[in-house]
Amino acid sequence: MRLILILNAGSSSVKCALMQIDEQGTAHDLARGSIDGLGQNAEFSMRFMDGHPAIKEAMPAGSQISHKEALSLILNTVDRLYGLSSLVAAGHRIVHGGPDFVKPVRLNRTNVDELRKLIPLAPLHQPHNLAAVDSLFELLPNLPQVGCFDTAFHATMPAIARNFALPKALTAKGIRRYGFHGISYNYIAEAFAARDPERAKGRVIVAHLGNGASLCGMINGQSVVNTMGFSALDGLMMGTRAGTIDPAVIFYLMREENMSAEAVEKMLYSQSGLLGVSGLSNDMRTLRTAAPDNSDAKMALAMFTYRVIREIGSVAAAMNGVDALVFTAGIGENDSELRADVIKGIGHLGFTLKTDANEQRDFQISASTHPAAFVMPTNEESLIARSTITLL
Ligand code: ADP
């Protein structure tokens, strides 16, 4: 048995997937799990596709779990159920590859130090992604580890889409758009091309709408524009992130409200978006349930939808039109009302909704065939597993 461990380590959680590689080198889902609440009240859960009973264990209340301890928990489980010797590699989701890491790499101490230099570009994600890599270096020094980057898929963006209109010395220093959610976009680009190769050669907008949300414009499966920019803060309104705002708001808050840079950063990353506007929740499901009797929840939903519609117009304009729109991720895959409202809102581009197909979540959900709209589940873990196998 050959297993790959896929890791997505964040500030408060470590998500993992265990994939089994078959004789042909294809990876299959064996287990998915997470350790949530690393800071306090951590909980380890894992479910298995091969019949092993699910695990759900609460850590002692108030206990702090480090990334290394979280990985030990996962590795102990792998050892107990399958034997640690069956683990042949680990693949990591790493948010920032900067200008140089534009495809998956085998990780070593030297390139991880290079990736550490990118922490200021993604302070809330990169240190935690790398903590998981460092922990595995210590726990299993001989295990090959591969890094896949959320920015890498957007390396094909032309300079006109990539550069800010800032003094060019700053552009040369790497102050530019990188784009994010690239692992998900890469997966969808390949999966869509497998289902509809002709359309995938055209101008495709993929809407990755989860807790984080962005749009990617692709031509022939290559990223040409992304609504996220220098950081994962830009673009659409998100669960707790504001998305695009006038940067003058930041100077104003610092000068007139005496907010520190850290306080503004925290507000824009974790207290804004659906949560900030509704004052209730960052979770679409909670807001949908509350909306009929709660005008703030209703406004949050309306603003989220409006931002998606506006940005689709912008991405379509950047590509001189659109042939297909693909919805993916938690909201994109599950919220039929959002999809219906968006498709109605982009009727001027030629999209019309097929209501029953949308409610049943068929592959194609538009009545219009050109342009047409689709729903596809994303699977970032599968792409990381494939990249890891290919590289090793
Ligand atoms: P992440 O960016 O954390 O990976 P996900 O892709 O899992 O996020 O998406 C999380 C979002 O998807 C949440 O806002 C959640 O409410 C929403 N979501 C999940 N299931 C549904 C559903 N059935 N209807 C509406 N929204 C849903």
Side-chain angles (χ1 to χ4, degrees):
M1 185 177 217
R2 290 182 304 160
L3 302 177
I4 300 190
L5 180 63
I6 309 300
L7 291 163
N8 179 1
S11 60
S12 64
S13 72
V14 175
K15 291 185 188 158
C16 69
L18 200 57
M19 318 275 277
Q20 183 172 2
I21 314 173
D22 68 17
E23 303 277 298
Q24 285 73 43
T26 307
H28 302 274
D29 257 344
L30 190 58
R32 296 257 170 154
S34 65
I35 291 136
D36 296 303
L38 290 183
Q40 53 180 348
N41 304 335
E43 188 176 88
F44 174 40
S45 57
M46 204 150 177
R47 61 194 166 80
F48 298 86
M49 288 71 179
D50 62 354
H52 282 296
I55 297 172
K56 204 166 182 67
E57 279 171 25
M59 305 294 127
S63 58
Q64 300 228 343
I65 303 282
S66 67
H67 284 92
K68 192 168 163 191
E69 286 163 329
L71 282 170
S72 294
L73 265 175
I74 295 168
L75 293 179
N76 288 343
T77 305
V78 174
D79 193 30
R80 181 168 60 80
L81 298 179
Y82 308 105
L84 212 46
S85 58
S86 51
L87 193 62
V88 296
H92 295 263
R93 176 179 182 182
I94 298 180
V95 71
H96 221 303
D100 300 325
F101 292 86
V102 296
K103 45 183 200 236
V105 292
R106 171 113 184 229
L107 297 165
N108 55 47
R109 301 265 181 193
T110 312
N111 57 24
V112 170
D113 282 342
E114 287 301 308
L115 290 167
R116 238 184 283 284
K117 292 183 188 154
L118 302 171
I119 287 177
L121 298 183
L124 303 187
H125 297 101
Q126 192 87 343
H128 310 293
N129 302 158
L130 298 180
V133 180
D134 289 332
S135 302
L136 266 190
F137 278 147
E138 284 178 40
L139 293 165
L140 291 176
N142 296 323
L143 186 74
Q145 299 192 59
V146 169
C148 297
F149 306 97
D150 265 314
T151 47
F153 184 67
H154 304 294
T156 47
M157 280 197 300
I160 200 168
R162 197 177 64 209
N163 293 352
F164 293 122
L166 287 171
K168 67 183 191 179
L170 289 177
T171 307
K173 281 188 176 173
I175 314 293
R176 43 161 269 203
R177 293 179 179 281
Y178 290 93
F180 294 87
H181 287 140
I183 297 171
S184 173
Y185 289 128
N186 196 347
Y187 175 85
I188 295 289
E190 291 179 14
F192 188 59
R195 293 230 23 196
D196 193 340
E198 272 315 302
R199 226 186 285 265
K201 289 183 192 149
R203 298 157 299 180
V204 178
I205 299 179
V206 181
H208 176 109
L209 308 175
N211 261 320
S214 66
L215 305 177
C216 179
M218 302 176 190
I219 298 178
N220 197 15
Q222 297 207 318
S223 171
V224 293
V225 53
N226 183 238
T227 57
M228 281 181 166
F230 177 68
S231 73
L233 259 189
D234 205 5
L236 301 178
M237 176 173 164
M238 307 179 214
T240 60
R241 284 172 252 171
T244 303
I245 60 161
D246 182 339
V249 170
I250 298 170
F251 319 136
Y252 178 88
L253 292 175
M254 293 175 78
R255 263 199 309 257
E256 304 298 324
E257 297 282 329
N258 290 321
M259 284 175 79
S260 63
E262 290 72 25
V264 178
E265 186 174 47
K266 186 170 173 206
M267 186 268 292
L268 290 176
Y269 268 106
S270 54
Q271 297 162 349
S272 301
L274 292 171
L275 174 66
V277 175
S278 69
L280 179 68
S281 173
N282 64 326
D283 194 299
M284 262 328 233
R285 288 164 290 194
T286 310
L287 297 178
R288 287 271 179 228
T289 309
D293 309 311
N294 182 321
S295 58
D296 293 333
K298 207 180 283 175
M299 178 52 102
L301 293 170
M303 281 174 68
F304 185 91
T305 311
Y306 171 81
R307 294 287 304 133
V308 175
I309 291 169
R310 244 186 91 165
E311 290 292 326
I312 287 175
S314 163
V315 173
M319 298 195 295
N320 196 11
V322 52
D323 302 305
L325 169 66
V326 182
F327 290 94
T328 193
I331 298 169
E333 291 166 34
N334 296 302
D335 193 326
S336 56
E337 201 172 332
L338 181 279
R339 293 194 302 258
D341 289 344
V342 167
I343 290 176
K344 286 176 200 156
I346 55 171
H348 66 100
L349 292 171
F351 289 93
T352 54
L353 182 70
K354 191 168 178 196
T355 305
D356 52 346
N358 181 44
E359 273 158 22
Q360 286 159 215
R361 208 220 295 194
D362 291 348
F363 173 53
Q364 183 169 338
I365 58 166
S366 62
S368 54
T369 52
H370 188 252
F374 303 88
V375 184
M376 293 193 86
T378 192
N379 192 340
E380 289 156 305
E381 294 78 8
S382 153
L383 189 98
I384 297 172
R386 231 177 318 136
S387 305
T388 304
I389 294 166
T390 307
L391 197 73
L392 297 177

